[in-house]
Amino acid sequence: MLLSESLVGNLSEDINLPALLYESIKKSLAYHFKTIGKTADTDFCAKQLGGMLLSHVIFPNERPFFQLNSKEKEAVVSQYVDGLK
């Protein structure tokens, strides 16, 4: 609900959910890459990761991610990782 309201401009800028999520993902990715001693385009990675996560919210799925067993979750994540190579 907050996402849709943010996208149509019905919320104030301090509750701009897309911007808050994007900045949070970028900050987390920057910390991760710094911790492992690698450099990466965090803007691009954040958009890729955000798209993957958002697809599980807005696109139809046979079963929601949280209902998958561990092996099925690992397969989904591996598929996304392979797509980034």
Side-chain angles (χ1 to χ4, degrees), residues 13-85:
E13 274 301 308
D14 60 323
I15 311 174
N16 184 345
L17 193 59
L20 291 171
L21 290 172
Y22 179 66
E23 291 303 320
S24 179
I25 291 170
K26 273 182 35 178
K27 183 177 176 182
S28 297
L29 286 168
Y31 176 79
H32 168 75
F33 287 120
K34 182 180 178 184
T35 300
I36 64 171
K38 303 246 180 188
T39 58
D41 182 345
T42 55
D43 290 325
F44 177 75
C45 290
K47 289 178 182 178
Q48 290 281 78
L49 186 56
M52 290 175 198
L53 295 171
L54 190 57
S55 73
H56 285 278
V57 174
I58 62 172
F59 296 145
N61 293 298
E62 188 174 308
R63 283 188 301 158
F65 187 80
F66 74 91
Q67 289 181 346
L68 301 176
N69 65 40
S70 295
K71 189 173 182 177
E72 292 168 322
K73 288 178 182 177
E74 189 173 318
V76 170
V77 171
S78 291
Q79 186 177 25
Y80 283 130
V81 170
D82 290 344
L84 295 172
K85 292 181 181 179

